[in-house]
Amino acid sequence: MEFLAFPDHPAAVSLGEDLLRDGSRKVIRHPSGRPWIVGRWAEADLTSAAAGPDRVVLLGRTGASEADLTAPLRAGLSMAGLDSLTRRLSGSCFLLASLGGRLRVQGDLAGVHQVFHGVAGGVTVAADRPQSIAALTGAGIAEEDIALALLFPGVPWPLSTLCPWRGVESLPGGHWLRVSGEGPSSAVRWWTPPEPEVPLSEGAGVLRQALTDAVAARTAPGRTVSADLSGGMDSTSLCFLAARGSSPLITYHHLPLDPSNDDRTWAALCESELPGVTALTDTPDAVPTWYAGALEHGSDIEGPYPLIRTRGKLEHLAGTVSAHGSGRHLQGIGGDELFHARASCVHALVRSHPLRALRSARIVKSMNRWSTPRALNYLRNGTAYPDWMAAAARSLASGTGSPMEGPDWEVAPSLPPWVTRDAFDLVEERLATAAARQPQPLAPTPVHHEMLRAVQVCGTMTRRATRVTQRYGVSYEAPFLDDRVIEATMAIRLEDRIAAGRYKPVLTTAMRGIVPDGVLGRRTKGDYSEELYTGLREHRSELLALCEDSRLARLGLIDGAALRGLITGLHVNTSPFAAFDMTLACESWLRAVAVGGTRVPAAPGRSEGGER
């Protein structure tokens, strides 16, 4: 799926009509006959309704029908009134509305359906990918922001919203884009995080229904659907939910290399509890190893590809399930981010309900193996988000990781040792400048801000992954990242998210009666270090070539010799390669952009030398 949306304005006519000349795109027109939505999509992903000149279009996976949209339109739906419609939608989709000549364009909270916008031909254009807008304007990439993409595990909010294409902006989650024929566009907030006040005894039912609806929105009678069955609790929950529907179900399991990884044991147990389901299992020698094809030029040039180490494996998965008739593949990304017990839950609970926090505090202290002084220091300290961000900028120099005592609003960003001094200075300056502008967090407390940022990272991964799998006719689906699921999880009381001796108590409670109790009792988690080491050995020569001919090095952002040391060195664990993935993704993206003809100039005002 891809699209661009134009206002009902004469200046937009030539832009839209030019896109239609190759005959491969579809069009939905304004009542005036001018192009409104131009792009490519499957008919199964389109739900639309009209009443007079007004129209609402949903693009994506949703349980809504044409009748669900028609009734409010005929009742005189307003732009603000669309908020209530949005809150009832299950699944994940884009919403585009044209009411009284004005447009509303929005995606979802996680960014699986991310809206980008910019000005072309004097009018605001919205799209599902930034390069589509850049192609209209002739703009190139924002080279001054490339160094930020080297941060790991990611770029903190609000710098995380920066688009790598010049003149293009991304719409923040929880907002919709207001577009009129004349004047600038504006982002309007429609969603705020719920207060965590719902007891688990009540909230589990709401979450169960949200997850049931999320899976149902992706299945249809007679259409085959596939799902990961890693053996972990997240993917397992989705498999059992999908098995309750009328769609034929295929489960997919990839045998781990490490014989001590018990994922296979748990996956086999689940398969025995899923009669009538087609179970596919791939052996390690049948699947591309990690880092296979990592430097190949992908067709998706939105930005650095976040799943770079497993892109070859993802393509193999898509081809496999497609050959067995699946057009939609469910996977459990987002489950860890929503349901893992966070120490920051207790930090927030101490401030709102000190007495209720005592039991949870003892559990968190034990789980983290903290001393009593360490636990008390964590619970006592805290800081406003702008101060945390300023401290994060300062901590880059010291390499201390966490910028201060108390909970991190996000995982503290770091830079790898192979970046140059110039790249280091650029990033430190950008973080400090952003902090000085006093940015507001995504939610009032660190626990909910961190949760939203984590699901946004997952949303980006899912959005980019589906562009890979779509080449095989398969969409990559993440039900845990649906708005209703996120909202239901965030509404549950903080103290109910942590339980002694229970792994992911919120999810296990919601899935009770759907997933067998024996499966819900799993407390282990598989390790895939052997996959990384094997992939590194098999593709070391290709990765070393990166050190000899790197566009990042030409820009003066990394030192090739230092990077070579990582690739050829011995490592007691895989942690250094989290940072390497970000570097590899940036390099691959720059090469793909160059193949597409976009010039990548040298970083402004910086020399090529200067190691950190």
Side-chain angles (χ1 to χ4, degrees):
M1 176 174 61
E2 62 176 295
F3 74 88
L4 293 101
F6 303 93
D8 191 3
H9 190 276
V13 174
S14 61
L15 296 173
E17 296 295 349
D18 283 347
L19 292 171
L20 292 168
R21 295 189 191 283
D22 67 2
S24 67
R25 293 181 175 90
K26 302 175 182 179
V27 61
I28 299 173
R29 296 185 180 274
H30 290 287
S32 65
R34 296 169 182 147
W36 173 26
I37 306 171
V38 178
R40 302 179 179 93
W41 53 81
E43 287 304 314
D45 294 335
L46 173 70
T47 306
S48 65
D54 297 334
R55 190 162 192 175
V56 175
V57 170
L58 305 179
L59 284 173
R61 314 288 182 257
T62 175
S65 65
E66 179 180 346
D68 295 328
L69 304 181
T70 301
L73 272 177
R74 288 177 175 170
L77 188 66
S78 66
M79 283 294 181
L82 279 167
D83 289 359
S84 60
L85 173 63
T86 298
R87 291 189 177 95
R88 296 195 303 270
L89 291 175
S90 60
S92 179
C93 63
F94 291 103
L95 182 149
L96 301 97
S98 176
L99 305 178
R102 294 175 293 122
L103 304 186
R104 172 171 175 155
V105 186
Q106 72 182 61
D108 55 27
L109 298 176
V112 176
H113 292 87
Q114 177 66 54
V115 174
F116 299 92
H117 58 100
V119 176
V123 295
T124 296
V125 179
D128 69 320
R129 54 195 75 192
Q131 63 267 35
S132 298
I133 299 174
L136 296 179
T137 64
I141 63 175
E143 64 276 359
E144 65 273 16
D145 293 333
I146 294 174
L148 278 173
L150 298 174
L151 281 167
F152 72 96
V155 183
W157 166 270
L159 292 174
S160 58
T161 65
L162 290 175
C163 179
W165 293 86
R166 197 175 301 282
V168 183
E169 298 181 39
S170 59
L171 185 68
H175 290 71
W176 57 272
L177 184 69
R178 176 192 284 133
V179 183
S180 60
E182 305 288 347
S185 61
S186 59
V188 181
R189 177 179 286 277
W190 70 269
W191 182 88
T192 55
E195 291 295 326
E197 298 175 343
V198 180
L200 182 56
S201 57
E202 176 186 340
V206 178
L207 175 60
R208 182 187 301 113
Q209 189 61 55
L211 280 169
T212 300
D213 293 343
V215 172
R218 293 161 169 87
T219 60
R223 297 189 60 179
T224 300
V225 64
S226 56
D228 278 354
L229 182 56
S230 68
M233 194 175 298
D234 305 326
S235 64
T236 296
S237 297
L238 298 181
C239 287
F240 279 93
L241 284 168
R244 303 173 86 199
S246 56
S247 295
L249 175 63
I250 299 169
T251 62
Y252 177 85
H253 179 77
H254 173 217
L255 287 173
L257 284 170
D258 187 348
S260 67
N261 187 328
D262 63 348
D263 273 1
R264 179 54 193 160
T265 301
W266 288 95
L269 174 61
C270 295
E271 289 169 4
S272 69
E273 298 282 352
L274 289 167
V277 170
T278 302
L280 303 179
T281 301
D282 261 334
T283 57
D285 58 352
V287 180
T289 55
W290 288 15
Y291 297 117
L295 287 174
E296 293 177 1
H297 305 140
S299 58
D300 174 25
I301 56 172
E302 175 186 313
Y305 181 69
L307 297 170
I308 192 74
R309 67 167 66 162
T310 56
R311 184 165 62 187
K313 179 175 177 283
L314 180 62
E315 291 181 346
H316 172 83
L317 163 67
T320 299
V321 299
S322 176
H324 285 78
S326 174
R328 295 178 181 177
H329 185 77
L330 312 182
Q331 40 80 43
I333 188 171
D336 285 346
E337 290 71 17
L338 289 177
F339 303 116
H340 264 314
R342 284 178 161 83
S344 50
C345 285
V346 184
H347 186 274
L349 189 60
V350 163
R351 281 150 180 77
S352 58
H353 301 286
L355 293 178
R356 283 160 51 183
L358 291 177
R359 175 178 169 275
S360 298
R362 287 195 296 268
I363 296 172
V364 166
K365 175 179 177 292
S366 176
M367 289 171 56
N368 290 281
R369 299 181 181 181
W370 287 342
S371 65
T372 298
R374 170 72 179 89
L376 290 173
N377 203 36
Y378 174 88
L379 295 173
R380 181 175 62 247
N381 287 302
T383 185
Y385 185 71
D387 296 333
W388 176 88
M389 193 174 187
R394 294 192 299 269
S395 73
L396 286 177
S398 63
T400 55
S402 182
M404 57 181 61
E405 293 291 343
D408 283 330
W409 286 84
E410 302 181 24
V411 179
S414 301
L415 282 169
W418 52 84
V419 302
T420 63
R421 182 79 245 175
D422 289 340
F424 179 86
D425 290 343
L426 276 169
V427 172
E428 187 178 30
E429 178 185 356
R430 293 299 299 279
L431 288 176
T433 300
R437 292 173 180 156
Q438 298 293 299
Q440 293 303 302
L442 294 167
T445 60
V447 60
H448 275 176
H449 174 94
E450 182 188 15
M451 185 182 291
L452 287 170
R453 276 295 297 128
V455 299
Q456 286 175 356
V457 171
C458 292
T460 298
M461 290 179 178
T462 303
R463 179 176 76 248
R464 304 296 302 283
T466 201
R467 304 221 183 110
V468 173
T469 61
Q470 276 178 345
R471 296 201 297 270
Y472 299 84
V474 177
S475 62
Y476 200 61
E477 302 290 338
F480 285 117
L481 300 180
D482 285 6
D483 290 0
R484 301 288 75 75
V485 176
I486 295 170
E487 192 170 59
T489 305
M490 295 183 74
I492 291 173
R493 293 189 311 185
L494 298 171
E495 63 264 42
D496 291 341
R497 304 182 196 181
I498 301 171
R502 291 183 63 191
Y503 180 63
K504 299 184 179 178
V506 170
L507 180 60
T508 57
T509 303
M511 289 295 100
R512 191 76 65 194
I514 296 175
V515 178
D517 288 346
V519 176
L520 292 176
R522 183 181 182 185
R523 300 181 185 180
T524 60
K525 190 171 180 65
D527 178 77
Y528 286 83
S529 300
E530 185 59 33
E531 277 74 5
L532 187 145
Y533 290 129
T534 299
L536 182 63
R537 285 194 301 270
E538 291 197 9
H539 301 287
R540 182 172 278 120
S541 60
E542 303 162 46
L543 298 175
L544 285 174
L546 157 67
C547 306
E548 306 300 328
D549 181 25
S550 166
R551 282 164 174 78
L552 287 169
R554 293 181 204 170
L555 291 171
L557 299 178
I558 68 168
D559 175 59
L563 188 57
R564 173 181 284 273
L566 171 82
I567 298 171
T568 59
L570 299 176
H571 305 281
V572 296
N573 58 56
T574 61
S575 58
F577 290 91
F580 175 61
D581 285 357
M582 307 302 293
T583 300
L584 186 60
C586 287
E587 180 67 29
S588 177
W589 174 62
L590 288 173
R591 294 182 181 204
V593 168
V595 168
T598 300
R599 185 177 67 88
V600 183
R606 303 286 173 176
S607 63
E608 293 189 1
E611 293 183 21
R612 178 179 166 185

